Amino acid sequence: MSRVILHCDANSFYASVEMLYDPSIRDKPVAVGGSVEARHGIILTKNPKAKAFGIKTGEAIWQAKQKCPELVCVPPDYPLYVRFGKKMRRLYEQYSDRVESFGLDEAWIDLTNPGVTIADGERIAHEIRCRVRDELGVTVSVGVSFNKIFAKLGSDMKKPDAVTVIRPEGFREQIWQLPAGDLLYVGPSTRRRLARMNVRTIGDLARLDTAVVQYCLGKNGLLLKAYANGLDESPVMPVDFRAAIKSVGNSTTPPHDIRSAEDARCIYYLLAESVAARLRQEGFRARCVTISARTTELTTGSHQRMLRKPTNLTDEIAGMAMQLFSERFLQGMPYRSVGISCSHLTLDDAPIQLDFMGDEERRVAMENMERSIDDLRRRFGHQVVQRGVVLTDRGFAEINPVEDHTIHPVPFFSG
């Protein structure tokens, strides 16, 4: 039985929602961008009129306005986008109990059942496309195929408000001439490596010798070659599926550059508090701490180390972060942004070896205190309690690492 998979991708999602709520900007070039004052001033998405000026996602707002002085740039309203994303998902779930989100505005829908054909999938795709437009006021492009990778590729091939079908019997003629970078998971770095091997198209990748792929790209290369040949068998997860958490992290771009060890200490404590609270909320402790730092030239480096024992305490996470920063990044200031990630997770009720030479009673007391602070912040807001170390810089102290931290998209390999 051949599978029937749909991939729905909302067109210029953030911008489309903003234009829906503000009719006065519907006929203008529109982009959604971060706050210039908070140094998050980049283009997050743009509508087709803005795209026609060559405006690209990720470029600075000032660069975009040089290309298009008439550009209307609106700040993001994430709660509104989340609400629309949930509405779209509820609509998709009327067609299948296997719906897997890929970020706020994208989802796979598995229609596979006895007697359901690709032609049925195309018909349902058009029905979904029309319903989203008529009921929610935004448009989606839908790819229909026999696996997830090609369904995603199809939704990207024709925009906006369109359906593209990639059938098992004719996919080579249809997609092998497309650039290799159009295939999911062929990012900029992999694309450059493929180009050095004279692999320019999806077909080139599909025909590449297996031994060469493995030597040059490792296991990831073998996976990409299989995708190019239509051999993706990954399932669409059921609607109640919750991906296993493998790491917990947070990062921020502060109001001004990090120019001293005290600046770094303030920011890393802010982030460590957020990460530690999420670890406790999810019932985990972490063994590994990784930090990252991004220079003003936008070059990013990272450094990590294993802890002596699993922890979800702010002091222990921040202490390791500062140790790593002193070793690797202290001489490279200033930095534009930094981050912390904790991995190698264990359940917080898993047995651990106590340290008879250490202060276990103090660790237990600290964890109880931090859980009490978690309760206060859930009731009254994150900044109802603040550490003295973060008050050394008022600009840094105003950062809310919880509410400002939005994670998208949901990782494809999370299952």
Side-chain angles (χ1 to χ4, degrees):
M1 178 175 62
S2 179
R3 295 201 297 167
V4 181
I5 311 292
L6 273 55
H7 182 270
C8 301
D9 184 3
N11 305 132
S12 305
F13 180 55
Y14 294 178
S16 296
V17 173
E18 294 293 344
M19 292 188 293
L20 182 65
Y21 275 74
D22 186 357
S24 67
I25 64 175
R26 290 181 185 175
D27 296 325
K28 299 177 181 178
V30 176
V32 176
S35 167
V36 176
E37 292 75 17
R39 307 204 311 153
H40 301 157
I42 63 171
I43 302 296
L44 301 175
T45 188
K46 68 281 180 190
N47 68 355
K49 290 183 180 294
K51 187 176 181 180
F53 285 88
I55 294 172
K56 299 178 180 178
T57 299
E59 72 177 334
I61 291 175
W62 65 267
Q63 292 176 311
K65 289 195 171 183
Q66 284 185 335
K67 298 176 181 177
C68 176
E70 300 82 20
L71 180 69
V72 177
C73 194
V74 296
D77 186 345
Y78 291 113
L80 181 61
Y81 309 149
V82 170
R83 182 155 63 88
F84 265 79
K86 289 179 177 178
K87 286 183 177 182
M88 287 193 294
R89 185 178 170 95
R90 284 196 293 268
L91 190 153
Y92 301 153
E93 290 175 2
Q94 296 175 27
Y95 294 87
S96 175
D97 62 354
R98 289 158 293 174
V99 178
E100 180 182 346
S101 294
F102 190 53
L104 274 181
D105 60 324
E106 299 184 46
W108 283 281
I109 309 170
D110 191 345
L111 302 177
T112 306
N113 271 307
V116 177
T117 65
I118 289 287
D120 295 323
E122 183 178 10
R123 174 183 55 79
I124 293 172
H126 280 291
E127 182 178 322
I128 290 174
R129 177 182 60 81
C130 293
R131 284 191 62 189
V132 171
R133 183 190 60 207
D134 297 341
E135 297 176 24
L136 301 181
V138 298
T139 63
V140 295
S141 293
V142 187
V144 184
S145 195
F146 57 99
N147 63 51
K148 291 169 70 174
I149 297 295
F150 285 177
K152 163 65 175 169
L153 181 62
S155 69
D156 291 334
M157 289 174 65
K158 196 185 302 181
K159 294 177 179 289
D161 198 18
V163 171
T164 302
V165 182
I166 300 176
R167 292 179 169 82
E169 61 273 12
F171 73 87
R172 294 173 181 82
E173 294 77 11
Q174 187 175 3
I175 69 166
W176 272 14
Q177 80 280 6
L178 298 175
D182 288 358
L183 198 66
L184 190 60
Y185 303 120
V186 179
S189 176
T190 301
R191 188 171 63 246
R192 288 192 294 269
R193 294 174 70 182
L194 289 172
R196 289 196 292 267
M197 300 161 60
N198 201 32
V199 175
R200 311 286 179 178
T201 67
I202 295 175
D204 293 339
L205 176 59
R207 291 184 290 262
L208 197 61
D209 182 81
T210 301
V212 174
V213 172
Q214 186 170 16
Y215 177 79
C216 296
L217 299 175
K219 292 182 179 179
N220 183 58
L222 296 178
L223 197 62
L224 294 176
K225 176 179 168 66
Y227 289 164
N229 281 287
L231 301 179
D232 170 37
E233 296 293 335
S234 56
V236 176
M237 296 303 172
V239 295
D240 57 353
F241 173 77
R242 187 166 184 256
I245 298 174
K246 297 182 179 179
S247 65
V248 174
N250 205 340
S251 60
T252 189
T253 301
H256 63 77
D257 290 338
I258 298 166
R259 298 184 175 278
S260 67
E262 283 304 310
D263 286 349
R265 179 178 171 83
C266 177
I267 289 295
Y268 277 123
Y269 257 94
L270 271 169
L271 296 177
E273 274 199 319
S274 168
V275 171
R278 287 167 55 203
L279 285 170
R280 293 189 293 271
Q281 178 182 336
E282 298 292 342
F284 290 116
R285 289 188 173 91
R287 283 293 307 274
C288 182
V289 175
T290 303
I291 68 167
S292 62
R294 196 179 198 192
T295 68
T296 52
E297 287 77 32
L298 305 184
T299 300
T300 302
S302 64
H303 194 26
Q304 69 178 30
R305 181 164 300 152
M306 298 292 288
L307 294 163
R308 194 163 51 88
K309 62 176 63 178
T311 187
N312 54 21
L313 296 177
T314 298
D315 276 339
E316 293 179 354
I317 295 171
M320 177 57 74
M322 282 307 300
Q323 182 180 335
L324 295 172
F325 183 85
S326 298
E327 292 174 0
R328 179 64 61 88
F329 300 115
L330 190 59
Q331 305 303 318
M333 289 185 283
Y335 292 101
R336 177 179 173 83
S337 61
V338 295
I340 292 181
S341 177
C342 288
S343 57
H344 291 69
L345 306 183
T346 61
L347 295 175
D348 61 7
D349 58 357
I352 60 173
Q353 177 65 52
L354 297 179
D355 183 0
F356 292 106
M357 303 301 292
D359 191 354
E360 292 298 333
E361 289 187 1
R362 178 181 177 278
R363 295 185 83 242
V364 171
M366 290 291 292
E367 184 169 340
N368 290 335
M369 182 191 70
E370 293 206 8
R371 290 187 185 278
S372 298
I373 293 174
D374 294 343
D375 290 337
L376 286 171
R377 285 172 166 168
R378 276 192 290 270
R379 294 176 62 190
F380 303 111
H382 180 79
Q383 292 176 315
V384 69
V385 179
Q386 289 185 289
R387 291 175 181 264
V389 66
V390 308
L391 297 176
T392 58
D393 189 302
R394 178 53 60 183
F396 289 173
E398 292 176 356
I399 297 173
N400 187 331
V402 175
E403 294 180 7
D404 293 344
H405 188 59
T406 304
I407 305 174
H408 299 296
V410 176
F412 177 69
F413 283 124
S414 60

